[in-house]
Amino acid sequence: MKESASVACDSLEGVKSFRKELWFNTPSRRAFVNITPQVEECLTESGIHEGLALVNAMHITASVFINDNETGLHQDYEKWLETLAPHHPVSQYLHNRTGEDNADAHLKRQVMGREVVVAVTEGKLDFGPWEQIFYGEFDGRRKKRVLVKIIGD
Amino acid sequence: MKESASVACDSLEGVKSFRKELWFNTPSRRAFVNITPQVEECLTESGIHEGLALVNAMHITASVFINDNETGLHQDYEKWLETLAPHHPVSQYLHNRTGEDNADAHLKRQVMGREVVVAVTEGKLDFGPWEQIFYGEFDGRRKKRVLVKIIGD
Amino acid sequence: MKESASVACDSLEGVKSFRKELWFNTPSRRAFVNITPQVEECLTESGIHEGLALVNAMHITASVFINDNETGLHQDYEKWLETLAPHHPVSQYLHNRTGEDNADAHLKRQVMGREVVVAVTEGKLDFGPWEQIFYGEFDGRRKKRVLVKIIGD
């Protein structure tokens, strides 16, 4: 996982904005990665105190979502998503006739969502007691990105 | 249901922001509560005319979503979510080995979503004809919160 | 498909905002329409360079989502959503006792989502390599709207 250069853009009059890409290359096809610390670092770097933080998967077979940092639950998600949108047989999906085998990943990502928007208050991610941000990978084993965009003051 | 103190933050030059928590304690495990009037009150209180309003569950077994204010539909959601992610048997979920019995609530909330972002136009929630904001509770009978964060001008 | 008048609002000091409605009238009950070009036109018209673009269905039986512009995948979505929330028999849903036959559309839209929030960077939609914005219609054959709201600088 490496991070690309980030850009904090300080306008004279109006809105501050910040952008950074987070990179992932999960060794397994499916994985859940807690990215809360990286998003917090982005926020600190941005210098933004009040605003909104958008965190989204830049790839359409992956997800960014907020839920619990509990391993058992992540295994429950894995099993449940496989029931809702099974990987096998790959021939059941028309999308896989393009030569891909990841149609199920496009479906799973819709259940888990592409993005989260998090309030920024007094320079912190404005979270409830158990909220953590996860990258959900459903077709890994290659380099993929998450975008962090923060706007505010 | 009580509301915590709200904060409207008026910066000299840039972005206005507003924050308020809405509190819930539903008597049943699962419930849908129309929170549109409270969010409208927040918007009025904020004094913001153009911008974006984020409304999100601060707990990871609850949801904020936009749909129809129709009782039959809410019962359809309840039945449908129970089919997709049944509460019983609680032993089917690894998460429940932690002593919880709410793994299904973490799954249901992913289907219904954590948050909505609503456009603010001319000081109003910029809604289509039937849009209403709901708090979706999937593990109630205790105090839980929704965050309203509005930014703009 | 026609577009209503758009409004770009240039505040002296703070946040720029832009609003436009996109109109749809799909000939079939269900359809997926690529609306990326229209959203890009909105962004150009807005003159906003850094910020966030919200694109949301204004109707509660439709969706706006980001995924792949691949026909086979769209057929997979159609079939999959019909498995998760079948249209027939319409009598299985309490909502349809109101005289409607679109309860399934309210369910399908929750899986696919109401809205997307897209980062705006250097005057462009800040997309990964395959991201495209789609209008997902689940109860068409009548005029319906999508809202584009952009805020920033």
Side-chain angles (χ1 to χ4, degrees):
Chain A
M1 198 186 309
K2 70 162 194 156
E3 296 178 9
S4 65
S6 59
V7 181
C9 167
D10 212 18
S11 90
L12 273 181
E13 23 166 271
V15 184
K16 266 190 196 171
S17 72
F18 174 89
R19 178 196 195 274
K20 192 169 200 169
E21 294 176 3
L22 311 178
W23 285 81
F24 301 89
N25 190 343
T26 66
S28 54
R29 180 183 285 272
R30 288 189 289 274
F32 297 117
V33 183
N34 189 343
I35 61 173
T36 316
Q38 285 108 303
V39 178
E40 284 170 342
E41 278 168 33
C42 288
L43 182 52
T44 303
E45 203 181 329
S46 76
I48 292 172
H49 286 264
E50 297 292 326
L52 296 176
L54 167 69
V55 188
N56 70 266
M58 299 185 78
H59 297 258
I60 53 191
T61 50
S63 176
V64 170
F65 66 97
I66 286 176
N67 217 298
D68 201 358
N69 191 19
E70 200 277 302
T71 313
L73 180 66
H74 297 178
Q75 292 175 264
D76 292 331
Y77 278 133
E78 160 70 13
K79 184 180 160 191
W80 177 61
L81 291 168
E82 202 54 31
T83 311
L84 293 183
H87 181 70
H88 293 291
V90 296
S91 63
Q92 76 191 292
Y93 300 109
L94 291 173
H95 179 60
N96 290 339
R97 296 192 188 171
T98 62
E100 301 278 2
D101 67 351
N102 65 4
D104 66 301
H106 291 273
L107 276 51
K108 285 167 171 132
R109 114 74 169 256
Q110 289 307 124
V111 176
M112 297 304 277
R114 167 186 178 261
E115 80 218 6
V116 295
V117 178
V118 182
V120 174
T121 302
E122 297 179 359
K124 304 282 183 193
L125 297 174
D126 195 337
F127 270 156
W130 299 103
E131 291 190 288
Q132 296 277 296
I133 310 175
F134 291 89
Y135 175 65
E137 177 61 84
F138 306 114
D139 186 37
R141 301 177 296 192
R142 54 196 172 102
K143 287 173 71 177
K144 293 167 81 172
R145 283 174 290 161
V146 162
L147 179 64
V148 181
K149 182 89 182 190
I150 309 171
I151 70 164
D153 230 352
Chain B
M1 197 185 312
K2 71 162 194 155
E3 296 178 9
S4 65
S6 59
V7 181
C9 168
D10 213 20
S11 90
L12 274 180
E13 23 165 271
V15 183
K16 267 190 196 171
S17 71
F18 173 90
R19 178 196 194 273
K20 193 170 200 169
E21 293 176 3
L22 311 177
W23 285 81
F24 301 89
N25 190 343
T26 66
S28 54
R29 180 183 287 272
R30 288 189 288 275
F32 296 117
V33 183
N34 189 342
I35 61 173
T36 317
Q38 286 108 302
V39 179
E40 284 170 341
E41 279 168 33
C42 288
L43 182 51
T44 303
E45 202 181 331
S46 76
I48 292 173
H49 287 264
E50 297 292 327
L52 296 177
L54 167 70
V55 189
N56 70 266
M58 298 185 78
H59 298 258
I60 52 190
T61 52
S63 175
V64 169
F65 66 96
I66 285 176
N67 217 296
D68 201 358
N69 191 19
E70 201 276 302
T71 313
L73 180 66
H74 297 179
Q75 292 175 263
D76 291 331
Y77 277 133
E78 160 69 14
K79 184 181 160 191
W80 177 61
L81 291 168
E82 203 54 32
T83 311
L84 293 182
H87 181 69
H88 292 292
V90 297
S91 63
Q92 76 191 291
Y93 300 109
L94 292 173
H95 179 59
N96 290 339
R97 296 192 188 172
T98 63
E100 301 279 1
D101 68 351
N102 64 6
D104 66 301
H106 291 274
L107 276 51
K108 286 167 170 129
R109 113 75 168 258
Q110 290 306 124
V111 177
M112 297 304 277
R114 167 188 179 261
E115 80 217 9
V116 295
V117 178
V118 182
V120 173
T121 302
E122 296 178 1
K124 305 282 182 193
L125 297 175
D126 196 336
F127 270 156
W130 300 102
E131 290 190 288
Q132 296 278 295
I133 310 176
F134 291 90
Y135 175 65
E137 177 61 85
F138 306 115
D139 186 36
R141 303 178 296 191
R142 54 195 172 102
K143 288 174 69 177
K144 293 167 82 172
R145 284 174 289 161
V146 161
L147 180 62
V148 180
K149 182 88 182 190
I150 309 172
I151 71 164
D153 228 353
Chain C
M1 197 186 312
K2 74 166 191 150
E3 295 179 9
S4 65
S6 59
V7 181
C9 168
D10 212 19
S11 90
L12 274 180
E13 21 165 273
V15 183
K16 267 191 195 171
S17 72
F18 174 91
R19 178 196 195 272
K20 192 169 200 169
E21 293 176 3
L22 311 178
W23 285 81
F24 301 89
N25 190 343
T26 65
S28 54
R29 180 183 286 271
R30 288 188 287 276
F32 297 116
V33 183
N34 189 342
I35 61 174
T36 317
Q38 285 108 303
V39 178
E40 284 170 341
E41 279 168 31
C42 288
L43 183 52
T44 303
E45 203 181 330
S46 76
I48 292 173
H49 287 264
E50 296 292 326
L52 296 176
L54 168 69
V55 188
N56 70 265
M58 299 185 79
H59 297 257
I60 53 192
T61 50
S63 176
V64 170
F65 66 95
I66 286 176
N67 218 297
D68 201 358
N69 191 18
E70 200 278 303
T71 313
L73 181 66
H74 298 178
Q75 293 175 264
D76 292 331
Y77 276 132
E78 160 70 14
K79 183 180 162 192
W80 178 61
L81 291 168
E82 202 55 31
T83 311
L84 292 183
H87 181 69
H88 292 292
V90 296
S91 63
Q92 76 191 291
Y93 301 108
L94 292 172
H95 179 59
N96 290 339
R97 296 192 188 172
T98 62
E100 300 278 3
D101 68 351
N102 65 5
D104 65 300
H106 291 273
L107 276 51
K108 285 167 170 128
R109 114 74 169 257
Q110 290 307 124
V111 177
M112 298 303 279
R114 167 187 179 261
E115 80 217 8
V116 295
V117 178
V118 182
V120 173
T121 302
E122 297 178 0
K124 304 282 183 194
L125 297 175
D126 195 336
F127 271 157
W130 299 102
E131 290 192 287
Q132 296 278 294
I133 309 176
F134 291 89
Y135 175 64
E137 176 61 85
F138 306 115
D139 186 36
R141 301 178 297 194
R142 53 194 173 104
K143 287 174 69 178
K144 292 167 83 171
R145 282 175 290 161
V146 162
L147 180 62
V148 181
K149 182 88 182 188
I150 309 172
I151 71 164
D153 230 352

